[in-house]
């Protein structure tokens, strides 16, 4: 790895005109170009940790050997969706941006199970974490996980406007996993992978006025 290479690990900015003011966590937003698709491959575990936009992360490779990592990442306003692959066992310290909620869905094809905190991510569990809170992931060799990060206010508005119900998402802050039925988990995986495949095949579609409409 080029030791002189500058990598921005902390890609959050304060959305305020007063640079003297102490920022509130709710005013921190990821520095990102919306309505985009990115594909990133690397042979360096540290660089890989920096390849997921808007996250603050540190990865440690547990055992020696050539690391290979890849990220396919799509962005809409308030929504991030990605597929991440790591070839070697990795210990991760992660935090996504304040005001968001992350759901991590390991693919069923993984040869071994990962862990979030002290919880094993079995087939009926997915990881979950509120933004602005650090959490730990331990992933084995040859591991793929899908990620969905959504602005909490956007998701709460969806529950209220479309589903005509409310769900206290912030109450999940002390949970690290949620149960999903196999069918529901399969559908969620299919939704994210389909969105990524379409965005790769036709990048212009995520700039479509209907797609980006609030």
């Amino acid at each position: 790895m080029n030791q002189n290479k500058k990598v921005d690990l902390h890609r959050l900015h304060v959305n305020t005109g007063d640079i003297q003011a102490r920022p509130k966590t709710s005013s921190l937003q990821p520095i990102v170009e919306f309505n985009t698709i990115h594909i990133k491959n690397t042979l360096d575990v540290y660089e890989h940790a920096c390849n997921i936009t808007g996250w603050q992360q540190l990865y440690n490779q547990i055992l020696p050997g050539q690391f290979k990592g890849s990220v396919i990442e799509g962005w809409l306003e308030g929504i991030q969706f990605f597929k991440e692959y790591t070839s070697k066992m990795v210990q991760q310290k992660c935090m996504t941006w304040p005001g968001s909620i992350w759901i991590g869905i390991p693919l069923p094809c993984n040869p071994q199970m990962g862990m979030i905190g002290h919880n094993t991510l079995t087939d009926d569990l997915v990881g979950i974490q509120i933004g602005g809170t650090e959490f730990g992931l331990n992933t084995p060799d040859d591991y793929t996980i899908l990620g969905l990060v959504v602005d909490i206010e956007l998701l709460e508005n969806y529950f209220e406007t479309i589903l005509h119900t409310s769900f206290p998402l912030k109450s999940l802050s002390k949970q690290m996993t949620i149960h999903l039925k196999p069918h529901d988990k399969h559908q969620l995986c299919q939704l994210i992978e389909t969105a990524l495949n379409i965005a790769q095949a036709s990048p212009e579609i995520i700039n479509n006025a209907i797609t980006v409409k609030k």
Side-chain angles (χ1 to χ4, degrees):
M1 179 181 176
N2 182 357
Q3 298 298 319
N4 294 321
K5 183 175 181 179
K6 295 182 179 179
V7 183
D8 180 11
L9 189 62
H10 304 282
R11 287 164 292 195
L12 296 173
H13 75 271
V14 182
N15 187 20
T16 176
D18 184 3
I19 62 174
Q20 301 298 324
R22 182 182 179 88
K24 298 179 181 178
T25 55
S26 60
S27 69
L28 297 173
Q29 297 294 322
I31 298 175
V32 60
E33 182 183 354
F34 293 125
N35 311 321
T36 55
I37 183 79
H38 305 287
I39 302 172
K40 301 174 184 177
N41 300 288
T42 182
L43 301 178
D44 183 273
V45 68
Y46 175 82
E47 183 177 355
H48 177 80
C50 301
N51 278 344
I52 301 180
T53 312
W55 287 62
Q56 299 181 59
Q57 300 193 117
L58 290 173
Y59 282 17
N60 290 314
Q61 183 175 328
I62 303 303
L63 297 174
Q66 179 62 68
F67 174 86
K68 294 181 180 179
S70 66
V71 175
I72 306 171
E73 174 189 78
W75 274 93
L76 297 172
E77 188 167 354
I79 303 174
Q80 178 189 31
F81 50 102
F82 61 86
K83 182 176 184 178
E84 178 187 9
Y85 170 78
T86 46
S87 66
K88 291 295 182 181
M89 184 182 295
V90 175
Q91 182 183 63
Q92 309 176 18
K93 294 294 183 183
C94 315
M95 183 171 71
T96 189
W97 73 90
S100 69
I101 185 169
W102 163 82
I103 299 174
I105 312 102
L107 289 188
C109 62
N110 287 322
Q112 298 180 65
M113 296 177 184
M115 295 187 69
I116 179 170
H118 299 292
N119 304 292
T120 301
L121 287 169
T122 55
D123 289 341
D124 61 339
L125 293 178
V126 299
I128 189 166
Q129 191 59 246
I130 297 295
T133 303
E134 183 181 285
F135 63 97
L137 281 174
N138 290 280
T139 56
D141 292 350
D142 196 26
Y143 196 76
T144 303
I145 187 169
L146 301 175
L148 179 65
V149 189
V150 184
D151 180 272
I152 287 179
E153 290 187 7
L154 180 68
L155 195 53
E156 288 178 337
N157 288 339
Y158 170 80
F159 277 108
E160 292 174 4
T161 306
I162 306 298
L163 303 181
H164 304 292
T165 186
S166 60
F167 191 88
L169 293 170
K170 292 178 183 178
S171 68
L172 299 173
S173 60
K174 294 184 179 180
Q175 291 185 226
M176 300 195 82
T177 60
I178 54 174
H179 287 266
L180 275 187
K181 295 178 181 178
H183 176 71
D184 294 334
K185 183 176 178 180
H186 174 74
Q187 283 197 317
L188 185 56
C189 288
Q190 194 172 46
L191 174 65
I192 296 172
E193 294 221 66
T194 299
L196 288 169
N197 290 336
I198 291 174
Q200 287 180 79
S202 306
E204 69 279 1
I205 199 169
I206 56 178
N207 272 305
N208 184 284
I210 296 176
T211 307
V212 302
K213 185 178 180 180
K214 296 181 180 179

